[in-house]
Each structure stands twice: as C-alpha cells, then as structure tokens.
Amino acid sequence: MMNDTGISAARPSAGSGDGNAARRNSNRPKYSRFTQQELPACKPILTPQWVISVFTLVGIIFIPIGVVALLASNDVVEIVDRYEIACVPPNMTHDKIGYIQNSSISKTCTRKLKVPKDMDKPIYVYYQLDNFYQNHRRYVKSRNDQQLRDASKANETSHCDPEKTTADGMPIVPCGLIAWSLFNDTYSFTRGNGEAMIVNKKDISWKSDRDHKFGSDVYPKNFQIGALIGGGKLDPKIPLSEQEDLIIWMRTAALPTFRKLYGRIDVDLKENDIITVALENNYNTYSFGGKKKLVLSTTTWLGGRNNFLGIAYLSVGGLCFFLSTAFTVVSLVKPRTIGDPSYLSWNRNPGSQ
C-alpha cells in the first residue's frame, strides 16, 4: 500500500504474529510446582494469638535458663590479684621500665591472698593481661606453623619477621613474634604454716594442639639468644609438643584483656586460708601500660565465672514477656479483623488470577 507521500507502509502479516507468539512460548520454562514454588510448605499466618504464644513460650524457656546460668556462675569462687604495680620496689616507682629491664634488680615478689570461700579442687591458676593486643595483624601472622610441627622444616622461617633468624643468619625455632614474646612470670604457692601447693602443668593445653600443631621431634633452637629478649626461654632438650606454656601462649587471644591457663592446684582450700605467693615479676607490661593479674578460680558444669550468658538469657526472656503482654493489651483494647486467608496466593489454584 502506498501512503500520501508515496512510501510503501509495511503491514504485519498474520503468519509473522504467529511466529512471534511461538517463540515466546518456546522461551517460557516448563511449568512445574517446583519452579513455581508451589510445593507443600509451612506458611504460618502471624495472627495475634500466634505471636503472643510464641513470645510467651520463648520467655518461659529463656528465663529459667538464665537463672540457672547465673546461679552456676555465682558458685564459681575467684581470687584476683593485680601485682605489677605492687611488685615494683619503692625506689623504682618513677622508672618502672628501668626496673623491669635491669637484670641486676631482683624480680622476686611475695603476695598474700585470702580465700573468701571454700574452693574445691581442681583450682585453676591463670595469668591475666590487660591492654595486650595479641590480635594485631602483624603479631598474629608472625609465626610459621610448618616449622612448629615438622622437624624437616626447621629452616622454614617465612612470615616470621622480625624474629626469623639470628644476627649470623641461623634460623630461630620457634620463630616469630608470638613465641618471642612468651609470658615468663612464675608463681609458687604455700598455705598456712608453709605447706607447699604443687602446681600441675601437665595436660593444660588443648590435646589437638599438642598432637597436630606442635611436633614431638621439633626442639627449640637459637631461641632468645639475641640482644633483645622478648619473654620466656625454652628448654632446648624438650620438644615443642611438651612445652605447654608455649602451646597455650601461641593460641592468640581475640581481645586485649585475656586469661591463659598457668596450671592446676589439686588440693582443696578452706575459707579464710592464707595463700602465700612467691612470684617472679619478669614480664614487661610497663612499656605499653599493661596490667598483670594472678587469678585462682574454681569451675562448675558451665565452666568459669561468666555472668554474660545468664544476663543475656534473662534479658531476651524478659523482653519476650514484655512484648507478649503488650501485644495482648493491644489486641484486647483495639482488636483488628483478620483478613480472609483464602485470598492468599498459595491458597488459590495455580492457574487462577
């Protein structure tokens, strides 16, 4: 057909329309209840009764758990003694760094602890450090796990900067900042009239660490022989798998305040017992404003003292009770008509609109 300008106008034919429709149909996925998400499923309707019932049930469950957790935590007996300030000689309080770095000054310190309540064995001995960031990226990466577990990889010191080799290029085993900064304060305990209390340091680390991360044929070598000593020394005749103080220290803490297990005391302590602690205040926390504390603690079926878990359960349970009460009042004072669920999409036939 010619229009007024003399240009022929194309008119779609019926055949081409049928072809387009056929192509559209061919691209349409095959119908199935799975692809259209029409399989049987739980699709609850949150009516006021359902919401109130769920909040009430959560409150009924959580509040008793919180009470039990708090009671278990309160049964733990702890003795915490901060000593890094008290152990500095009076004439060195103005120069604490000079005191800790001067090897000619005795670091021996005596502390008296009073038992507040009966403490049943085993009594766990911890040291606590504050303001010590073991989670610093460079610190955490400064180790070589292959070297720790395989004697044939003793020369492997990659990632151990800056404590990877000695001044003459010999590899350090174990290398890295974590091992170099090993905590080296020591504690010994006596009770009453001088009865010694033995600290058991056997099996205080994770068995998986002893068996799989630290080799029984790997021995310390060239460790802490440089000009700058970071922390404790290791016995070169004992394999790393048996040096449990090192194993515990190498499991770095996530927070700047942390406790690490020093040992166990396998005797009972009675209320008002006086414990005399002879400690060696060797570890330098004065350079970075850190704190050192000695902790003696019992445990319960829930572990050590930790009020957070009980408080968290009580808080959530109390909030759920409050919300259930609020929703109950609202539904009674200003009730709303519930819609007809037959209009919901999953309650209609798949082909209906």
Side-chain angles (χ1 to χ4, degrees):
M1 175 184 291
M2 300 294 291
N3 58 16
D4 293 341
T5 60
I7 300 175
S8 175
R11 179 181 295 173
S13 63
S16 62
D18 293 342
N20 291 333
R23 281 195 298 272
R24 286 196 298 271
N25 290 333
S26 65
N27 292 332
R28 181 178 297 175
K30 182 180 179 181
Y31 171 81
S32 71
R33 299 186 66 186
F34 176 76
T35 58
Q36 298 303 316
Q37 299 184 16
E38 294 175 356
L39 293 175
C42 178
K43 300 174 181 177
I45 301 174
L46 297 180
T47 62
Q49 291 77 14
W50 263 104
V51 173
I52 293 169
S53 300
V54 168
F55 276 126
T56 302
L57 180 62
V58 172
I60 292 174
I61 295 174
F62 273 44
I63 287 181
I65 293 177
V67 171
V68 171
L70 274 181
L71 291 176
S73 179
N74 290 334
D75 286 340
V76 174
V77 183
E78 273 191 359
I79 304 174
V80 181
D81 180 53
R82 179 183 173 184
Y83 63 87
E84 90 284 349
I85 299 296
C87 287
V88 177
N91 62 332
M92 296 295 294
T93 54
H94 64 285
D95 187 13
K96 299 181 182 65
I97 297 177
Y99 151 74
I100 200 69
Q101 292 179 346
N102 190 337
S103 59
S104 64
I105 300 177
S106 174
K107 304 301 187 297
T108 302
C109 179
T110 302
R111 304 288 292 166
K112 298 285 188 179
L113 308 178
K114 185 176 181 180
V115 179
K117 295 171 60 177
D118 289 353
M119 300 179 71
D120 297 330
K121 63 182 180 182
I123 299 168
Y124 294 92
V125 182
Y126 301 89
Y127 57 88
Q128 177 175 319
L129 295 180
D130 294 2
N131 201 35
F132 191 112
Y133 288 83
Q134 270 199 318
N135 60 348
H136 191 283
R137 182 181 62 86
R138 187 181 182 190
Y139 184 89
V140 171
K141 293 177 63 178
S142 186
R143 62 187 292 166
N144 189 291
D145 290 322
Q146 291 183 349
Q147 183 202 62
L148 295 174
R149 62 174 174 259
D150 189 350
S152 64
K153 301 292 180 63
N155 295 330
E156 182 64 49
T157 58
S158 58
H159 308 298
C160 284
D161 290 329
E163 293 295 323
K164 58 191 302 184
T165 59
T166 61
D168 55 357
M170 298 298 293
I172 298 173
V173 181
C175 65
L177 284 174
I178 306 177
W180 176 79
S181 61
L182 173 64
F183 186 81
N184 62 338
D185 283 6
T186 61
Y187 314 102
S188 60
F189 302 86
T190 56
R191 176 174 61 172
N193 58 358
E195 177 189 354
M197 296 191 299
I198 305 301
V199 179
N200 183 2
K201 300 176 72 69
K202 185 69 174 176
D203 295 335
I204 58 175
S205 61
W206 289 20
K207 187 177 185 301
S208 59
D209 288 354
R210 298 194 302 269
D211 294 344
H212 304 295
K213 291 188 176 182
F214 294 83
S216 59
D217 58 347
V218 182
Y219 293 83
K221 184 172 61 175
N222 303 318
F223 187 71
Q224 300 286 26
I225 63 173
L228 185 61
I229 304 300
K233 297 186 178 182
L234 300 174
D235 190 337
K237 298 179 181 179
I238 299 178
L240 296 187
S241 62
E242 297 179 16
Q243 309 241 18
E244 299 199 48
D245 286 333
L246 172 70
I247 295 173
I248 291 173
W249 181 257
M250 294 288 285
R251 182 170 282 277
T252 54
L255 300 175
T257 297
F258 58 86
R259 293 178 180 179
K260 291 184 181 290
L261 185 60
Y262 181 82
R264 294 187 306 271
I265 298 176
D266 294 317
V267 296
D268 295 332
L269 296 178
K270 299 301 181 182
E271 184 177 356
N272 296 324
D273 277 354
I274 301 299
I275 308 300
T276 302
V277 184
L279 62 88
E280 291 292 327
N281 183 31
N282 297 315
Y283 201 70
N284 182 9
T285 58
Y286 307 105
S287 298
F288 55 88
K291 301 175 184 177
K292 293 189 290 186
K293 297 176 183 178
L294 171 65
V295 181
L296 275 65
S297 176
T298 61
T299 59
T300 63
W301 60 271
L302 200 58
R305 175 168 291 177
N306 183 5
N307 292 332
F308 174 79
L309 185 63
I311 293 173
Y313 270 102
L314 286 176
S315 300
V316 174
L319 177 63
C320 289
F321 265 132
F322 171 78
L323 291 176
S324 66
T325 303
F327 287 148
T328 302
V329 172
V330 171
S331 63
L332 293 176
V333 174
K334 298 180 64 176
R336 295 181 60 186
T337 303
I338 305 300
D340 187 353
S342 64
Y343 286 98
L344 295 172
S345 60
W346 56 81
N347 289 332
R348 292 182 292 170
N349 295 327
S352 65
Q353 299 296 325

